[in-house]
Amino acid sequence: MTDAQGGPTLGPTLSEWISAREETERHLAAAGSPVDGQWVQRLADLLATERSWQDQYTDLLALGSVGGQFPSSNR
């Protein structure tokens, strides 16, 4: 998805974010009991990656907002 004015392409970033979420979900579904340190570290890495893609996508969307930022969240 390209901005009508030649702006950034949002599709690849959204795709990577969704992919990261799916990978995190698969990792959570595969958890055995009890979880070990390696599993926890992998989850932390996956969540950090997912958050990074989410932040990048949000920043791209904000480019089209007034002042280039979203309003503060009520949550």
Coordinates of all heavy atoms in Angstrom, one line a residue:
M1 N 0.8 -1.2 0.0 CA 0.0 0.0 0.0 C 0.9 1.2 0.0 O 1.7 1.4 0.9 CB -0.9 -0.1 1.3 CG -1.7 1.1 1.5 SD -2.9 0.9 2.9 CE -2.2 -0.3 4.0
T2 N 0.8 2.0 -1.0 CA 1.6 3.2 -1.2 C 0.7 4.4 -1.0 O -0.4 4.5 -1.5 CB 2.3 3.3 -2.6 OG1 3.1 2.1 -2.7 CG2 3.2 4.5 -2.7
D3 N 1.3 5.4 -0.3 CA 0.6 6.7 0.0 C 0.4 7.3 -1.4 O 1.2 7.3 -2.3 CB 1.4 7.6 0.9 CG 0.8 8.9 1.2 OD1 -0.2 8.9 2.0 OD2 1.2 9.9 0.6
A4 N -0.8 8.0 -1.6 CA -1.1 8.6 -2.8 C -0.1 9.7 -3.2 O 0.0 10.0 -4.4 CB -2.5 9.2 -2.7
Q5 N 0.6 10.3 -2.3 CA 1.5 11.4 -2.6 C 2.9 10.8 -2.6 O 3.9 11.6 -2.5 CB 1.4 12.4 -1.5 CG 0.1 13.1 -1.4 CD 0.0 14.0 -0.2 OE1 0.8 14.0 0.7 NE2 -1.1 14.8 -0.2
G6 N 3.1 9.5 -2.9 CA 4.4 9.0 -3.0 C 5.1 8.7 -1.7 O 6.3 8.7 -1.6
G7 N 4.3 8.6 -0.6 CA 4.9 8.3 0.7 C 5.3 6.9 0.9 O 5.5 6.1 0.0
P8 N 5.6 6.6 2.2 CA 6.1 5.2 2.5 C 5.1 4.1 2.2 O 3.9 4.3 2.2 CB 6.4 5.3 4.0 CG 5.5 6.3 4.5 CD 5.4 7.3 3.4
T9 N 5.6 2.9 2.0 CA 4.8 1.8 1.7 C 4.6 1.1 3.0 O 5.5 0.7 3.8 CB 5.5 0.8 0.8 OG1 5.8 1.5 -0.5 CG2 4.7 -0.4 0.5
L10 N 3.3 0.9 3.4 CA 2.9 0.4 4.7 C 2.8 -1.1 4.7 O 3.0 -1.8 5.7 CB 1.6 1.0 5.1 CG 1.5 2.5 5.3 CD1 0.1 3.0 5.6 CD2 2.5 2.9 6.4
G11 N 2.4 -1.7 3.5 CA 2.2 -3.1 3.4 C 3.3 -4.0 3.9 O 3.0 -4.9 4.7
P12 N 4.5 -3.9 3.5 CA 5.6 -4.7 4.0 C 5.8 -4.6 5.5 O 6.0 -5.7 6.2 CB 6.9 -4.2 3.3 CG 6.3 -3.6 2.0 CD 5.0 -3.0 2.4
T13 N 5.7 -3.5 6.1 CA 5.8 -3.3 7.5 C 4.7 -4.0 8.3 O 4.9 -4.7 9.2 CB 5.9 -1.8 7.9 OG1 6.9 -1.2 7.2 CG2 6.2 -1.7 9.4
L14 N 3.5 -3.8 7.8 CA 2.3 -4.5 8.4 C 2.5 -6.0 8.3 O 2.3 -6.8 9.2 CB 1.0 -4.1 7.7 CG -0.2 -4.8 8.2 CD1 -0.4 -4.6 9.7 CD2 -1.5 -4.3 7.5
S15 N 3.0 -6.5 7.1 CA 3.2 -7.9 6.9 C 4.2 -8.5 7.9 O 4.0 -9.6 8.5 CB 3.6 -8.2 5.5 OG 4.0 -9.5 5.3
E16 N 5.3 -7.8 8.1 CA 6.3 -8.2 9.1 C 5.8 -8.2 10.5 O 6.1 -9.1 11.3 CB 7.6 -7.4 8.9 CG 8.3 -7.6 7.6 CD 8.9 -9.0 7.5 OE1 9.2 -9.6 8.5 OE2 9.0 -9.4 6.4
W17 N 5.0 -7.2 10.8 CA 4.4 -7.2 12.2 C 3.5 -8.4 12.4 O 3.6 -9.1 13.4 CB 3.6 -5.9 12.4 CG 2.9 -5.7 13.7 CD1 3.2 -6.4 14.8 CD2 1.8 -4.9 14.0 NE1 2.3 -6.0 15.8 CE2 1.5 -5.1 15.3 CE3 1.1 -3.9 13.2 CZ2 0.5 -4.4 15.9 CZ3 0.1 -3.2 13.9 CH2 -0.2 -3.5 15.2
I18 N 2.6 -8.7 11.4 CA 1.7 -9.8 11.5 C 2.5 -11.1 11.6 O 2.2 -12.0 12.4 CB 0.7 -9.8 10.4 CG1 -0.2 -8.6 10.5 CG2 0.0 -11.1 10.3 CD1 -1.1 -8.4 9.3
S19 N 3.6 -11.2 10.8 CA 4.4 -12.4 10.8 C 5.1 -12.6 12.2 O 5.1 -13.7 12.8 CB 5.5 -12.3 9.8 OG 6.4 -13.4 9.8
A20 N 5.5 -11.5 12.8 CA 6.2 -11.6 14.1 C 5.1 -12.0 15.2 O 5.4 -12.8 16.1 CB 6.8 -10.2 14.5
R21 N 3.9 -11.5 15.1 CA 2.9 -11.9 16.0 C 2.6 -13.4 15.9 O 2.4 -14.1 16.9 CB 1.6 -11.1 15.7 CG 1.7 -9.6 16.1 CD 0.4 -9.0 16.1 NE -0.5 -9.6 17.1 CZ -1.4 -9.0 17.8 NH1 -1.6 -7.7 17.6 NH2 -2.1 -9.6 18.7
E22 N 2.5 -13.9 14.6 CA 2.2 -15.3 14.4 C 3.3 -16.2 15.0 O 3.1 -17.2 15.6 CB 2.0 -15.6 12.9 CG 0.7 -14.9 12.4 CD 0.6 -15.0 10.9 OE1 1.6 -15.3 10.2 OE2 -0.5 -14.6 10.4
E23 N 4.6 -15.7 14.8 CA 5.7 -16.5 15.4 C 5.6 -16.5 16.9 O 5.9 -17.6 17.5 CB 7.0 -15.9 14.9 CG 8.2 -16.7 15.3 CD 9.5 -16.2 14.7 OE1 9.5 -15.2 14.0 OE2 10.6 -16.8 15.0
T24 N 5.3 -15.4 17.5 CA 5.1 -15.4 19.0 C 4.0 -16.3 19.4 O 4.2 -17.1 20.4 CB 4.8 -13.9 19.4 OG1 5.9 -13.1 19.0 CG2 4.7 -13.9 20.9
E25 N 2.9 -16.3 18.7 CA 1.8 -17.2 19.0 C 2.2 -18.7 18.9 O 1.9 -19.5 19.8 CB 0.6 -16.9 18.1 CG -0.1 -15.6 18.4 CD -1.3 -15.4 17.4 OE1 -1.8 -16.4 16.9 OE2 -1.6 -14.2 17.2
R26 N 3.0 -19.0 17.9 CA 3.4 -20.4 17.7 C 4.3 -20.8 18.9 O 4.3 -21.9 19.4 CB 4.2 -20.6 16.4 CG 3.3 -20.6 15.2 CD 4.0 -21.1 14.0 NE 5.1 -20.3 13.6 CZ 5.1 -19.2 12.9 NH1 3.9 -18.7 12.4 NH2 6.2 -18.5 12.6
H27 N 5.2 -19.9 19.3 CA 6.1 -20.2 20.4 C 5.3 -20.4 21.7 O 5.6 -21.3 22.5 CB 7.1 -19.0 20.6 CG 8.2 -19.3 21.5 ND1 9.2 -20.2 21.3 CD2 8.4 -18.8 22.8 CE1 10.0 -20.2 22.4 NE2 9.6 -19.4 23.3
L28 N 4.3 -19.5 22.0 CA 3.5 -19.7 23.2 C 2.7 -21.0 23.1 O 2.6 -21.6 24.2 CB 2.5 -18.5 23.3 CG 3.2 -17.2 23.7 CD1 2.2 -16.0 23.5 CD2 3.7 -17.2 25.1
A29 N 2.2 -21.4 22.0 CA 1.5 -22.6 21.9 C 2.3 -23.8 22.1 O 1.8 -24.9 22.6 CB 0.8 -22.7 20.5
A30 N 3.6 -23.7 21.8 CA 4.5 -24.9 22.0 C 5.1 -25.0 23.4 O 5.9 -25.9 23.6 CB 5.6 -24.8 20.9
A31 N 4.7 -24.1 24.3 CA 5.3 -24.1 25.6 C 5.0 -25.4 26.3 O 3.9 -25.9 26.4 CB 4.8 -23.0 26.4
G32 N 6.0 -26.0 26.9 CA 5.9 -27.2 27.8 C 5.9 -26.7 29.2 O 6.0 -25.5 29.5
S33 N 5.6 -27.6 30.1 CA 5.6 -27.2 31.5 C 6.7 -28.1 32.2 O 6.7 -29.3 32.1 CB 4.2 -27.5 32.1 OG 4.2 -27.1 33.4
P34 N 7.5 -27.5 33.0 CA 7.7 -26.0 33.2 C 8.6 -25.5 32.0 O 9.3 -26.2 31.4 CB 8.5 -26.0 34.5 CG 9.3 -27.2 34.5 CD 8.4 -28.3 33.8
V35 N 8.5 -24.2 31.8 CA 9.3 -23.6 30.8 C 10.7 -23.3 31.3 O 10.9 -23.2 32.5 CB 8.7 -22.2 30.3 CG1 7.3 -22.5 29.6 CG2 8.5 -21.2 31.4
D36 N 11.7 -23.4 30.4 CA 13.1 -23.2 30.8 C 13.6 -21.8 30.4 O 12.9 -21.0 29.8 CB 14.0 -24.3 30.3 CG 14.0 -24.3 28.8 OD1 13.5 -23.4 28.1 OD2 14.6 -25.3 28.2
G37 N 14.7 -21.5 30.9 CA 15.3 -20.2 30.6 C 15.5 -19.9 29.1 O 15.3 -18.8 28.7
Q38 N 15.8 -20.9 28.3 CA 16.0 -20.7 26.9 C 14.6 -20.3 26.2 O 14.6 -19.5 25.4 CB 16.5 -22.0 26.2 CG 16.8 -21.8 24.8 CD 17.5 -23.1 24.2 OE1 17.6 -24.1 24.9 NE2 17.9 -23.0 23.0
W39 N 13.6 -21.0 26.7 CA 12.2 -20.7 26.2 C 11.8 -19.3 26.5 O 11.3 -18.5 25.7 CB 11.2 -21.7 26.7 CG 9.8 -21.5 26.1 CD1 9.3 -22.1 25.0 CD2 8.8 -20.6 26.6 NE1 8.1 -21.7 24.8 CE2 7.7 -20.8 25.7 CE3 8.7 -19.7 27.7 CZ2 6.5 -20.1 25.9 CZ3 7.5 -19.0 27.8 CH2 6.4 -19.2 27.0
V40 N 12.1 -18.9 27.7 CA 11.8 -17.5 28.2 C 12.6 -16.5 27.4 O 12.0 -15.4 27.0 CB 12.0 -17.4 29.7 CG1 11.9 -15.9 30.2 CG2 11.1 -18.3 30.5
Q41 N 13.8 -16.7 27.2 CA 14.7 -15.8 26.4 C 14.1 -15.7 25.0 O 14.1 -14.6 24.4 CB 16.1 -16.3 26.4 CG 17.0 -15.3 25.6 CD 17.1 -13.9 26.2 OE1 17.4 -13.8 27.4 NE2 16.7 -12.9 25.5
R42 N 13.8 -16.8 24.4 CA 13.2 -16.8 23.0 C 11.9 -15.9 23.0 O 11.7 -15.1 22.1 CB 13.0 -18.2 22.5 CG 12.3 -18.3 21.1 CD 13.3 -17.9 20.0 NE 12.7 -18.1 18.7 CZ 12.8 -17.2 17.7 NH1 13.6 -16.2 17.8 NH2 12.2 -17.5 16.6
L43 N 11.1 -16.1 24.0 CA 9.8 -15.3 24.1 C 10.2 -13.9 24.2 O 9.5 -13.0 23.5 CB 9.0 -15.8 25.2 CG 7.7 -15.0 25.4 CD1 6.8 -15.1 24.2 CD2 6.9 -15.5 26.7
A44 N 11.1 -13.5 25.0 CA 11.5 -12.1 25.2 C 12.0 -11.5 23.9 O 11.6 -10.4 23.5 CB 12.5 -12.0 26.3
D45 N 12.8 -12.3 23.1 CA 13.3 -11.8 21.8 C 12.1 -11.6 20.8 O 12.1 -10.7 20.1 CB 14.3 -12.8 21.3 CG 15.6 -12.9 22.1 OD1 15.8 -12.0 22.9 OD2 16.3 -13.9 21.9
L46 N 11.2 -12.6 20.8 CA 10.1 -12.5 19.9 C 9.2 -11.3 20.2 O 8.8 -10.6 19.3 CB 9.2 -13.8 20.0 CG 9.8 -15.0 19.3 CD1 9.0 -16.3 19.7 CD2 9.9 -14.9 17.8
L47 N 8.9 -11.1 21.5 CA 8.1 -9.9 21.9 C 8.8 -8.6 21.6 O 8.1 -7.7 21.1 CB 7.8 -10.0 23.4 CG 6.8 -11.1 23.8 CD1 6.7 -11.2 25.3 CD2 5.5 -10.9 23.2
A48 N 10.1 -8.5 21.7 CA 10.8 -7.3 21.4 C 10.8 -7.1 19.8 O 10.6 -5.9 19.4 CB 12.3 -7.4 21.8
T49 N 10.9 -8.1 19.1 CA 10.8 -8.0 17.6 C 9.4 -7.6 17.2 O 9.2 -6.7 16.4 CB 11.1 -9.4 16.9 OG1 12.5 -9.7 17.3 CG2 11.0 -9.3 15.4
E50 N 8.4 -8.2 17.8 CA 7.0 -7.8 17.5 C 6.8 -6.4 17.9 O 6.2 -5.6 17.1 CB 6.1 -8.7 18.3 CG 4.6 -8.4 18.0 CD 3.7 -9.3 18.8 OE1 4.1 -10.5 19.2 OE2 2.6 -8.9 19.1
R51 N 7.2 -5.9 19.0 CA 7.1 -4.5 19.4 C 7.8 -3.6 18.5 O 7.2 -2.5 18.1 CB 7.6 -4.3 20.9 CG 7.4 -2.9 21.4 CD 6.0 -2.5 21.3 NE 5.8 -1.1 21.6 CZ 5.1 -0.6 22.6 NH1 4.6 -1.4 23.5 NH2 5.0 0.7 22.7
S52 N 8.9 -3.9 18.0 CA 9.7 -3.1 17.1 C 8.9 -2.9 15.8 O 8.8 -1.8 15.3 CB 11.1 -3.7 16.8 OG 11.7 -3.0 15.8
W53 N 8.4 -4.0 15.2 CA 7.6 -3.9 14.0 C 6.3 -3.1 14.2 O 5.9 -2.3 13.4 CB 7.2 -5.2 13.4 CG 8.4 -5.8 12.7 CD1 9.1 -6.9 13.1 CD2 8.9 -5.4 11.4 NE1 10.1 -7.1 12.1 CE2 10.0 -6.2 11.1 CE3 8.6 -4.4 10.6 CZ2 10.7 -6.1 10.0 CZ3 9.3 -4.2 9.4 CH2 10.4 -5.1 9.1
Q54 N 5.7 -3.2 15.4 CA 4.5 -2.5 15.7 C 4.8 -1.0 15.8 O 4.1 -0.2 15.2 CB 3.9 -2.9 17.1 CG 2.7 -2.1 17.5 CD 2.2 -2.5 18.9 OE1 2.8 -3.4 19.5 NE2 1.2 -1.9 19.3
D55 N 5.9 -0.6 16.4 CA 6.3 0.8 16.5 C 6.6 1.4 15.2 O 6.2 2.5 14.9 CB 7.6 0.9 17.4 CG 7.3 0.7 18.9 OD1 6.1 0.7 19.3 OD2 8.2 0.5 19.7
Q56 N 7.3 0.6 14.3 CA 7.6 1.1 13.0 C 6.3 1.3 12.2 O 6.2 2.3 11.5 CB 8.5 0.1 12.2 CG 9.9 0.0 12.8 CD 10.7 -1.0 12.0 OE1 10.8 -1.0 10.8 NE2 11.3 -2.0 12.8
Y57 N 5.4 0.4 12.3 CA 4.1 0.5 11.5 C 3.3 1.7 12.1 O 2.8 2.6 11.3 CB 3.3 -0.7 11.7 CG 2.0 -0.7 10.8 CD1 2.1 -0.8 9.4 CD2 0.8 -0.6 11.4 CE1 0.9 -0.8 8.7 CE2 -0.4 -0.6 10.7 CZ -0.3 -0.7 9.3 OH -1.4 -0.6 8.5
T58 N 3.3 1.9 13.4 CA 2.6 3.0 14.0 C 3.2 4.4 13.5 O 2.5 5.3 13.2 CB 2.6 2.9 15.5 OG1 2.0 1.7 15.9 CG2 1.8 4.1 16.2
D59 N 4.5 4.4 13.5 CA 5.2 5.6 13.1 C 4.9 5.9 11.6 O 4.7 7.1 11.3 CB 6.8 5.5 13.3 CG 7.2 5.5 14.7 OD1 6.4 5.9 15.6 OD2 8.3 5.1 15.0
L60 N 4.8 4.9 10.8 CA 4.5 5.2 9.4 C 3.1 5.7 9.2 O 2.8 6.6 8.5 CB 4.7 3.9 8.6 CG 6.1 3.5 8.2 CD1 6.1 2.1 7.5 CD2 6.8 4.5 7.4
L61 N 2.2 5.1 10.0 CA 0.8 5.6 10.0 C 0.7 7.1 10.5 O -0.1 7.9 10.0 CB -0.1 4.7 10.8 CG -0.4 3.4 10.2 CD1 -1.3 2.6 11.2 CD2 -1.1 3.5 8.8
A62 N 1.5 7.4 11.5 CA 1.4 8.7 12.1 C 1.9 9.8 11.1 O 1.5 11.0 11.3 CB 2.2 8.7 13.4
L63 N 2.7 9.4 10.1 CA 3.1 10.4 9.2 C 2.0 11.1 8.5 O 2.1 12.3 8.1 CB 4.0 9.7 8.1 CG 5.4 9.3 8.6 CD1 6.1 8.5 7.4 CD2 6.2 10.4 9.1
G64 N 0.8 10.5 8.4 CA -0.3 11.1 7.7 C -1.2 11.8 8.7 O -2.2 12.4 8.3
S65 N -0.9 11.8 10.0 CA -1.7 12.5 11.0 C -1.2 13.9 11.2 O -0.1 14.3 10.8 CB -1.5 11.8 12.4 OG -2.0 10.5 12.2
V66 N -2.1 14.7 11.8 CA -1.7 16.1 12.0 C -0.5 16.2 12.9 O -0.4 15.6 14.0 CB -2.9 16.9 12.7 CG1 -2.5 18.3 13.1 CG2 -4.1 16.9 11.8
G67 N 0.5 16.9 12.5 CA 1.7 17.0 13.3 C 2.6 15.8 13.3 O 3.6 15.8 13.9
G68 N 2.2 14.8 12.5 CA 3.0 13.6 12.4 C 3.0 12.7 13.6 O 3.8 11.8 13.7
Q69 N 2.0 12.9 14.5 CA 1.9 12.1 15.7 C 0.5 11.8 16.0 O -0.4 12.6 15.6 CB 2.5 12.9 16.9 CG 4.0 13.2 16.8 CD 4.5 13.9 18.0 OE1 3.7 14.4 18.8 NE2 5.8 13.9 18.2
F70 N 0.3 10.7 16.6 CA -1.1 10.3 17.1 C -1.4 11.1 18.4 O -0.5 11.4 19.2 CB -1.2 8.8 17.3 CG -1.3 8.0 16.0 CD1 -0.3 7.2 15.7 CD2 -2.4 8.1 15.2 CE1 -0.4 6.4 14.5 CE2 -2.5 7.4 14.1 CZ -1.5 6.5 13.7
P71 N -2.7 11.3 18.7 CA -3.0 11.9 20.0 C -2.6 10.9 21.1 O -2.5 9.7 20.8 CB -4.5 12.1 19.9 CG -5.0 11.5 18.7 CD -3.8 11.1 17.9
S72 N -2.4 11.4 22.3 CA -2.1 10.5 23.4 C -3.3 9.5 23.6 O -4.4 9.8 23.4 CB -2.0 11.3 24.7 OG -0.9 12.2 24.6
S73 N -2.9 8.3 24.0 CA -3.8 7.2 24.3 C -4.6 7.5 25.6 O -4.0 8.0 26.5 CB -3.1 5.9 24.3 OG -4.0 4.9 24.7
N74 N -5.8 7.0 25.6 CA -6.6 7.1 26.9 C -6.4 5.8 27.7 O -7.0 5.7 28.7 CB -8.1 7.3 26.5 CG -8.4 8.6 26.0 OD1 -7.7 9.6 26.3 ND2 -9.4 8.7 25.1
R75 N -5.6 4.9 27.2 CA -5.4 3.7 27.9 C -4.1 3.7 28.7 O -3.2 4.3 28.5 CB -5.3 2.5 27.0 CG -6.6 2.3 26.3 CD -6.8 1.1 25.4 NE -5.7 0.4 25.0 CZ -5.7 -0.8 24.6 NH1 -6.8 -1.5 24.6 NH2 -4.6 -1.5 24.3

